[in-house]
């Protein structure tokens, strides 16, 4: 049974901290990730198909171009789907692997951003993301993720290589392959520190939530245009991805040797 409840302490009526009880363990907020590594591939996708897939959230996809330049999809607006593998090495939820299917979305308080503004958000790295699927291989993080933030975590099996120059990740659940993703080496970019607060959205059991996600430091970052080889399996998540009209080539790929970040409490949208 998944159990996550929240209590919040206060000082003269001002909230100062909160804790959650997850499977008999107290989780203090914010949750800290002291060491993680990841790689990600971003593909363009049909904005209409993504809109239909995320309709229950009432969020809208970020349009990165008004019309596709691909002759096969002429006249179809496009958005961005991100496929990411994360290895959590040292954090408050323990070590585990994670695979995320994420879509870039508009700020619900300022919908309808122009494609130029959307591209600006993408370049600056402050675009908002809806976490649509989130398979993991740890029971505790599954319970915490679903109970604290409403992240759609499910159990899966992983075969991931973060150490080689060519990053590789494969994830499988319920006896079916979901994806197999390989990234070619990228070009090194400067490390970053000082903290950047991003916004992650989730939708679970009919409720959409917003979670502040603070990147404290990134080191060993490599990125490039394209560079991804993607094979979709027979799992329902793969079938959904197949129906989104993903671009043949990745828009961009990136890997990070070390991430430090924090997750605060979620709020209902």
């Amino acid at each position: 049974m998944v159990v996550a409840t929240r209590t919040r302490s206060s000082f003269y009526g001002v909230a100062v901290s909160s804790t959650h009880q997850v499977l008999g363990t107290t989780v203090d907020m914010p949750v800290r990730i002291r060491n993680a590594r990841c790689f990600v591939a971003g593909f363009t996708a049909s904005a209409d198909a993504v809109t239909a897939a995320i309709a229950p959230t009432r969020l809208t996809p970020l349009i990165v171009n008004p019309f596709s330049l691909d002759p096969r999809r002429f006249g179809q607006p496009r958005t961005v789907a991100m496929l990411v593998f994360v290895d959590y090495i040292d954090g408050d939820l323990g070590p585990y692997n994670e695979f995320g299917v994420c879509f870039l979305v508009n700020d619900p308080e300022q919908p309808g951003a122009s494609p130029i503004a959307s591209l600006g958000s993408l370049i600056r790295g402050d675009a908002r993301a809806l976490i649509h699927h989130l398979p993991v291989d740890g029971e505790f993080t599954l319970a915490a993720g679903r109970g604290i933030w409403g992240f759609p975590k499910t159990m899966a099996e992983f075969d991931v290589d973060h150490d080689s120059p060519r990053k590789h990740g494969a994830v499988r659940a319920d006896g079916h392959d979901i994806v197999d993703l390989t990234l070619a080496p990228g070009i090194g970019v400067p490390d970053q520190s000082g903290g950047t607060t991003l916004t992650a959205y989730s939708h679970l059991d009919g409720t959409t939530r917003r979670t502040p996600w603070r990147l404290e430091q990134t080191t060993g970052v490599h990125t490039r245009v394209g560079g991804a080889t993607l094979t979709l399996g027979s799992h329902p998540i793969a079938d959904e991805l197949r129906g989104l009209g993903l671009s043949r080539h990745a828009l961009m790929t990136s890997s990070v040797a070390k991430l430090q970040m924090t997750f605060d409490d979620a709020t209902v949208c």
Side-chain angles (χ1 to χ4, degrees), residues 20-194:
H20 298 261
Q21 294 298 315
V22 180
L23 302 182
T25 298
T26 299
V27 177
D28 296 318
M29 303 302 290
V31 164
R32 302 184 183 279
I33 308 301
R34 291 169 288 276
N35 187 6
R37 52 186 179 173
C38 72
F39 56 88
V40 58
F43 296 85
T44 67
S46 164
D48 291 339
V50 171
T51 297
I54 69 174
T57 71
R58 299 186 180 180
L59 298 171
T60 57
L62 198 72
I63 305 299
V64 294
N65 64 323
F67 303 104
S68 175
L69 300 180
D70 185 338
R72 299 172 302 165
R73 303 186 176 101
F74 182 76
Q76 300 177 8
R78 306 289 285 174
T79 186
V80 177
M82 311 292 287
L83 306 182
V84 56
F85 281 89
V86 187
D87 176 18
Y88 291 87
I89 300 169
D90 178 19
D92 291 348
L93 304 183
Y96 63 97
N97 285 287
E98 180 176 271
F99 168 69
V101 176
C102 310
F103 302 124
L104 300 188
V105 296
N106 292 306
D107 182 346
E109 297 180 358
Q110 297 179 339
S114 70
I116 293 176
S118 297
L119 282 172
S121 294
L122 186 61
I123 293 170
R124 291 191 305 271
D126 60 3
R128 296 161 182 261
L130 168 67
I131 300 174
H132 187 57
H133 294 294
L134 204 60
V136 296
D137 64 358
E139 292 283 358
F140 185 78
T141 188
L142 183 146
R146 294 178 70 91
I148 298 174
W149 301 283
F151 288 149
K153 292 190 175 184
T154 54
M155 288 297 293
E157 301 170 5
F158 288 77
D159 179 9
V160 189
D161 179 5
H162 289 269
D163 296 315
S164 301
R166 295 180 67 86
K167 312 303 180 186
H168 172 259
V171 59
R172 179 180 177 85
D174 305 319
H176 296 275
D177 294 333
I178 300 177
V179 304
D180 188 298
L181 178 66
T182 301
L183 267 58
I187 299 172
V189 300
D191 298 341
Q192 295 187 8
S193 60

Side-chain angles (χ1 to χ4, degrees), residues 185-247:
I187 299 172
V189 300
D191 298 341
Q192 295 187 8
S193 60
T196 299
T197 300
L198 308 175
T199 301
Y201 294 93
S202 61
H203 185 81
L204 189 67
D205 298 331
T207 301
T208 301
R209 296 173 176 85
R210 178 178 60 248
T211 298
W213 165 32
R214 184 173 176 82
L215 285 173
E216 303 288 353
Q217 186 173 26
T218 58
T219 59
V221 180
H222 291 77
T223 191
R224 59 169 290 165
V225 175
T229 301
L230 173 66
T231 301
L232 299 176
S234 59
H235 190 275
I237 294 176
D239 291 338
E240 183 183 49
L241 289 171
R242 196 174 285 111
L244 297 181
L246 298 180
S247 54

